[in-house]
């Protein structure tokens, strides 16, 4: 595999759906295999299943979906280079200009799909629908090129009961899980906790919602960084990474695999912890770090505050983090902005038990402290 293939494959690992795209090293097939890199679902499936009956590569690309992965890779490559895959002309009758027209239409359709195709049947259906006015020989040749079915199985629709979201919730984040044994790789760690009610988290751009929001310039920078690293240009790679960080994204190593993640600053909704210079300010920060450090978090986001932070309810191992902080006496219920009875009850019980900051004779509210110490 040449460097460009590796660079594009690197971006796919985190920019497209995690159940579709991944390691494609096993695509070095025989001369009779299908696809731009020797892709044949059957040929790859034999060797891949001999090693792993479930998946091919670290991103969950199964032997059955390797053709879908190849098509997605070639579409992304086309978006950047405007070049159709090498070898396509052996399977279609049209010239290169017409082939480019097909890929341009497929790229638009793929990016507009939500979610993108995961199975060969879904990918085949998208190709047939998008290229329905093109030559039949070209369409069938392209499908054979990727080992996709010529006649996909009809879609069977079912009516699902919609899941009711909490009132006011705008969207949900699932932060990256990180093993606690690698401190420098924590996505939620002590240095990410700014105080007792503020935290910075990172969300993988392979998440369906995030994958649609990654700016094109960030993807291109990620490719350039990958190229610089491959060529040993460490200084240039660091500068490119700084550019990505300035845009709110960061490449982080997870289990020896690089993942592009988006940074979110979260303000815990409904509580107000002591500021750093206040009594129990340090203790509140340490308690929050203790709760979330090394954990995978579920964050329900309810808009932003005046500082651009996302206002969120955070859940850790099924526990509501704001309630934990209140029960331990590490924060006030922020009644001015949140009237939830369960939070008021948690504060009341902590006061009665005189735990945490309630052991102080007359603790000062943080909002009053901020007013005096602007």
């Amino acid at each position: 595999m040449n460097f460009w293939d590796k660079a594009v494959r690197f971006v796919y690992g985190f920019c497209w759906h995690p159940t579709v795209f991944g390691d494609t090293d096993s695509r070095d097939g025989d001369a009779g295999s299908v696809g731009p890199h020797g892709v044949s679902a059957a040929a790859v499936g034999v060797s891949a299943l001999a090693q792993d009956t479930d998946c091919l590569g670290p991103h969950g690309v199964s032997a059955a979906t390797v053709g879908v992965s190849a098509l997605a890779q070639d579409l992304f490559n086309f978006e950047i280079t405007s070049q159709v895959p090498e070898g396509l002309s052996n399977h279609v009758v049209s010239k290169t200009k017409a082939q480019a027209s097909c890929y341009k239409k497929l790229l638009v359709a793929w990016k507009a799909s939500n979610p993108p195709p995961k199975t060969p049947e879904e990918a085949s259906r998208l190709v047939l629908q998008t290229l329905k006015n093109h030559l039949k020989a070209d369409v069938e040749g392209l499908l054979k090129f990727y080992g996709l079915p010529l006649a996909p199985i009809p879609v069977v629709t079912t009516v699902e009961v919609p899941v009711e979201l909490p009132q006011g919730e705008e969207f949900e984040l699932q932060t990256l899980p990180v093993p606690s044994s690698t401190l420098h790789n924590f996505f939620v760690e002590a240095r990410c906790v700014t105080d007792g009610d503020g935290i910075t988290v990172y969300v993988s751009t392979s998440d369906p919602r995030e994958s649609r929001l990654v700016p094109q310039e960030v993807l291109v920078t990620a490719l350039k960084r990958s190229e610089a690293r491959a060529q040993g240009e460490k200084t240039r790679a660091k500068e490119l990474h700084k550019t990505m960080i300035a845009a709110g994204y960061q490449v982080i190593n997870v289990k020896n695999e690089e993942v592009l993640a988006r940074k979110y600053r979260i303000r815990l909704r409904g509580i107000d912890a002591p500021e750093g210079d206040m009594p129990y300010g340090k203790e509140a920060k340490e308690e929050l770090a203790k709760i979330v450090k090394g954990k995978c978090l579920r964050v329900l986001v309810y808009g932003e505050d005046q500082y651009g932070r996302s206002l969120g309810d955070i859940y850790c191992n099924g526990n509501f983090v704001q309630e934990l902080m209140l029960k331990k006496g590490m924060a006030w219920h922020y009644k001015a902005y949140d009237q939830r009875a369960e939070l008021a009850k948690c504060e009341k019980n902590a006061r009665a038990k005189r735990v945490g900051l309630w052991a102080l004779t007359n603790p000062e509210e943080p909002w009053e402290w901020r007013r005096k110490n602007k």
Side-chain angles (χ1 to χ4, degrees):
M1 178 181 290
N2 60 31
F3 169 75
W4 180 254
D5 286 336
K6 291 182 179 179
V8 172
R9 180 167 67 99
F10 164 77
V11 172
Y12 276 119
F14 49 68
C15 295
W16 297 83
H17 199 285
T19 62
V20 177
F21 308 100
D23 194 347
T24 56
D25 282 342
S26 299
R27 288 162 52 179
D28 297 324
D30 56 30
S33 57
V34 181
H37 304 290
V39 177
S40 167
V44 176
V46 173
S47 60
L49 293 176
Q51 303 176 25
D52 186 340
T53 58
D54 293 323
C55 67
L56 175 67
H59 300 289
V61 178
S62 69
T65 60
V66 67
V68 185
S69 176
L71 173 58
Q73 177 172 323
D74 289 336
L75 288 175
F76 185 81
N77 188 31
F78 177 80
E79 182 175 25
I80 296 176
T81 67
S82 297
Q83 300 295 314
V84 298
E86 183 180 352
L88 179 63
S89 296
N90 297 328
H91 294 77
V92 300
V93 298
S94 63
K95 300 299 182 181
T96 303
K97 185 175 180 180
Q99 294 172 21
S101 176
C102 290
Y103 274 76
K104 185 176 181 180
K105 292 179 180 179
L106 288 173
L107 177 62
V108 172
W110 192 287
K111 294 175 73 174
S113 60
N114 182 23
K118 303 177 186 178
T119 66
E121 289 74 22
E122 291 174 352
S124 178
R125 193 173 294 112
L126 182 142
V127 171
L128 290 170
Q129 179 64 30
T130 305
L131 304 181
K132 59 184 178 182
N133 295 325
H134 286 250
L135 292 174
K136 181 179 179 181
D138 282 346
V139 177
E140 291 185 351
L142 188 144
L143 291 172
K144 292 178 181 179
F145 184 57
Y146 293 104
L148 300 174
L150 300 183
I153 299 172
V155 178
V156 178
T157 59
T158 58
V159 178
E160 296 184 357
V161 178
V163 178
E164 184 178 355
L165 298 176
Q167 185 176 3
E169 180 193 348
E170 294 187 358
F171 57 90
E172 178 177 330
L173 302 175
Q174 295 283 351
T175 68
L176 287 162
V178 182
S180 58
S181 59
T182 54
L183 181 61
H184 64 285
N185 277 340
F186 278 154
F187 291 96
V188 178
E189 57 176 316
R191 66 181 175 83
C192 291
V193 176
T194 54
D195 52 33
D197 53 38
I199 182 174
T200 299
V201 298
Y202 293 88
V203 180
S204 172
T205 54
S206 66
D207 176 89
R209 176 183 178 273
E210 293 298 330
S211 65
R212 301 192 299 270
L213 302 176
V214 185
Q216 181 67 29
E217 56 268 23
V218 171
L219 299 181
V220 174
T221 303
L223 280 173
K224 291 180 179 179
R225 175 183 176 273
S226 179
E227 180 182 359
R229 284 167 56 85
Q231 295 177 353
E233 300 176 3
K234 295 183 179 180
T235 301
R236 180 168 177 262
K238 287 182 179 179
E239 291 302 318
L240 290 168
H241 197 209
K242 288 180 181 179
T243 300
M244 296 166 63
I245 292 174
Y249 290 83
Q250 187 169 342
V251 176
I252 309 176
N253 188 282
V254 184
K255 296 181 180 179
N256 297 319
E257 183 177 338
E258 291 193 315
V259 175
L260 179 64
R262 182 180 178 182
K263 175 182 177 180
Y264 281 91
R265 295 187 302 134
I266 308 296
R267 171 64 164 85
L268 276 66
R269 175 172 169 258
I271 67 171
D272 200 359
E275 300 294 334
D277 293 333
M278 295 178 63
Y280 272 87
K282 180 181 178 181
E283 289 83 350
K285 177 180 178 179
E286 292 175 349
E287 184 61 37
L288 180 58
K290 179 180 176 182
I291 293 172
V292 303
K293 187 171 64 174
K295 303 296 195 306
C296 175
L297 305 178
R298 177 182 179 223
V299 184
L300 306 182
V301 178
Y302 296 80
E304 293 186 349
D305 66 6
Q306 66 268 38
Y307 304 107
R309 298 175 298 182
S310 297
L311 295 169
D313 285 345
I314 299 182
Y315 293 85
C316 180
N317 292 336
N319 296 312
F320 186 21
V321 173
Q322 281 96 309
E323 283 194 357
L324 294 179
M325 293 294 289
L326 289 169
K327 288 178 179 179
K328 294 176 180 292
M330 294 297 165
W332 275 259
H333 174 211
Y334 211 173
K335 301 182 184 69
Y337 297 94
D338 192 298
Q339 287 76 47
R340 281 179 283 183
E342 61 269 31
L343 298 186
K345 182 178 179 181
C346 289
E347 180 189 304
K348 182 178 179 181
N349 291 340
R351 282 175 177 265
K353 295 177 182 178
R354 300 187 64 81
V355 296
L357 63 88
W358 304 117
L360 300 174
T361 303
N362 187 25
E364 184 178 16
E365 294 93 341
W367 51 89
E368 288 295 330
W369 186 91
R370 288 192 295 269
R371 184 175 62 83
K372 299 174 183 176
N373 298 272
K374 294 183 179 180

